[in-house]
């Protein structure tokens, strides 16, 4: 028994001695000061009262461009989260800034006549743009959206406290004490939340109207044209908006007073809307939904074409839907790594859409059609132009390619191409689709 107690005593002594040596070793190590740089988010509260009294003319430079919309001789360019630039584009070779409309939380727009519909976080505001330098808010449909993602950051509607809770990116530099040996910290890392690893263009994604040729779904000259990244679209007397999980119709027979109709629930990840003839095509991160729109007050779901998780705008011509799928950058909400392609889908029977063929792409984003020309944005890889006269052989019929520009979305119309990207606005003459000619550009000046 005494021997056992001796062993325990010596064991305890050894443990105490070992602990002392470790403590002495650590305490004797030098400490260093290290600068850590990281990016995080901080919350911003915006009261309903502030939001509802914020629509006004202002001034702003093109810093963080989002969506593009064309109405008659005017171009409208979204400045993400801030509002809309109004540009006189009567001469595409010399576009001129006319005004800026302050709209907090804005990413989407649609125009009919002299009335603009634009989102402002949870609300849709109705704005008189008869004189773009002296705009006025006509009406407001409140609490249309409960949440959203802008510039890679989610915002939320806080009804209890009558406010919007948004977040903004901030760059932080900390100086901390660290042990000089044995601890290596990365120079730049992310912390804080919520964090979303995606570009400013990944499905902030939203604009209004439709891309490419006139689908015949609305009277000519009454409403404008947007890109394939649209979340708003006008079809005759109806405005359609998509949230992350819903299709939301409005009756706009009285264009100054939109009447919200029953919302249609869809799976999470809804991104874009494209009207074609008597159908609505809804793009999501997991598939394409086809709606029968013969009863425009209550569109009816016909079918869903499913694909792997990827960001997904869609345009349509004749019996085919053209869907770009991108998941570049791996960690983004767009999904899997290196699944970047153009899908050709046969929609001749809208109840049974079928994949005809997939074509490899580099990181496709928005696309537009002016038959027989198909324009595909490839992000920082530039712009590609294909002939779609033989749909199954698109990859063998590349007509032109631009590199060295950032291409997010396009509107082709009347042999003039309007292209928007992180770099700004570019306009081209595509009378010869094998040799696009630059007409003008407005470069963005990010901070």
């Amino acid at each position: 028994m005494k021997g056992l107690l001796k062993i325990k005593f010596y064991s305890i002594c050894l443990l105490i001695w070992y602990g002392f040596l470790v403590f002495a070793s650590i305490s004797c190590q030098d400490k260093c000061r290290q600068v850590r740089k990281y990016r995080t988010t901080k919350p911003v509260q915006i009261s309903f009262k502030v939001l509802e009294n914020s629509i006004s003319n202002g001034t702003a430079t093109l810093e963080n461009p989002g969506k593009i919309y064309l109405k008659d001789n005017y171009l409208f360019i979204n400045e993400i989260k801030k509002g809309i630039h109004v540009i006189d584009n009567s001469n595409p070779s010399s576009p001129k800034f006319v005004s800026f409309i302050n709209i907090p939380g804005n990413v989407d727009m649609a125009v009919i006549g002299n009335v603009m519909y634009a989102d402002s976080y949870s609300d849709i505001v109705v704005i008189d743009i008869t004189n773009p330098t002296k705009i006025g808010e006509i009406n407001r449909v409140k609490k249309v959206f409960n949440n959203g993602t802008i510039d890679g950051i989610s915002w939320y509607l806080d009804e209890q406290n009558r406010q919007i809770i948004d977040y903004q990116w901030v760059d932080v530099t900390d100086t901390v004490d660290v042990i000089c040996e044995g601890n290596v910290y990365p120079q730049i890392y992310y912390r804080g939340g919520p964090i979303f690893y995606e570009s400013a263009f990944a499905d902030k994604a939203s604009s209004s109207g439709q891309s490419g040729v006139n689908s015949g779904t609305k009277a000519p000259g009454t409403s404008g044209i947007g890109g394939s990244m649209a979340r708003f679209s006008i079809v005759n007397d109806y405005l359609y908006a998509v949230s992350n999980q819903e299709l939301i119709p409005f009756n706009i027979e009285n264009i100054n007073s939109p009447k919200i109709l029953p919302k249609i629930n869809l799976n999470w990840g809804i991104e874009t809307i494209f009207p074609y003839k008597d159908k609505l095509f809804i793009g999501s991160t997991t598939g394409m939904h086809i709606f029968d729109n013969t009863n425009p007050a209550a569109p009816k779901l016909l079918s869903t074409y499913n694909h792997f998780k990827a960001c997904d705008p869609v345009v349509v011509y004749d019996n085919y839907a053209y869907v770009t799928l991108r998941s570049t950058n791996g960690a983004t909400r767009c999904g899997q790594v290196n699944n970047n392609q153009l899908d050709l889908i046969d929609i001749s029977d809208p109840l049974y859409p079928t994949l005809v063929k997939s074509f490899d792409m580099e990181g496709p984003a928005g696309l537009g059609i002016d038959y027989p020309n198909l324009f595909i944005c490839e992000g920082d890889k530039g712009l590609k132009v294909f002939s779609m006269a033989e749909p199954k052989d698109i990859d063998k019929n590349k007509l032109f390619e631009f590199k060295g520009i950032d291409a997010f979305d396009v509107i082709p119309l009347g042999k003039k191409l309007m292209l928007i990207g992180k770099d700004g606005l570019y306009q081209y003459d595509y009378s010869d689709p094998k040799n696009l000619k630059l007409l003008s550009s407005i470069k963005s000046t990010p901070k």
Side-chain angles (χ1 to χ4, degrees), residues 31-49:
K31 290 187 177 181
C32 297
R33 306 212 72 177
Q34 186 178 62
V35 175
R36 301 182 190 177
K37 296 180 180 180
Y38 58 91
R39 202 177 191 211
T40 185
T41 57
K42 70 175 184 179
V44 178
Q45 287 81 34
I46 305 167
S47 71
F48 287 174
K49 184 176 180 180

Side-chain angles (χ1 to χ4, degrees), residues 182-201:
N183 289 281
V184 180
Y185 295 91
Q187 275 303 105
I188 299 175
Y189 63 97
Y190 296 89
R191 77 180 185 191
I195 296 293
F196 300 88
Y197 299 96
E198 62 182 340
S199 72
F201 285 106

Side-chain angles (χ1 to χ4, degrees), residues 50-67:
V50 169
L51 191 66
E52 292 166 11
N53 290 278
S54 59
I55 308 303
S56 62
N57 280 115
T59 58
T61 56
L62 190 64
E63 294 177 356
N64 191 14
K67 303 309 177 52

Side-chain angles (χ1 to χ4, degrees), residues 305-308 321-325 339-346 354-361 391-396:
Y305 164 77
N306 293 306
H307 56 63
F308 59 79
Y322 299 79
V323 179
T324 58
L325 307 178
N339 285 316
N340 297 292
Q341 64 195 51
L342 169 71
D343 278 358
L344 177 68
I345 303 168
D346 186 338
T354 56
L355 176 66
V356 176
K357 194 173 182 180
S358 294
F359 306 94
D360 288 338
M361 294 286 158
K392 297 178 185 179
D393 294 322
I394 284 176
D395 56 336
K396 300 175 184 176

Side-chain angles (χ1 to χ4, degrees), residues 196-212:
F196 300 88
Y197 299 96
E198 62 182 340
S199 72
F201 285 106
D203 319 83
K204 337 178 221 227
S206 317
S207 177
S208 324
Q210 64 185 69
S211 174

Side-chain angles (χ1 to χ4, degrees), residues 208-235:
S208 324
Q210 64 185 69
S211 174
V213 296
N214 191 321
S215 70
T217 57
K218 54 181 180 274
T222 59
S223 57
I225 299 172
S228 62
M229 296 295 191
R231 282 185 184 265
F232 283 14
S233 187
I234 295 174
V235 181

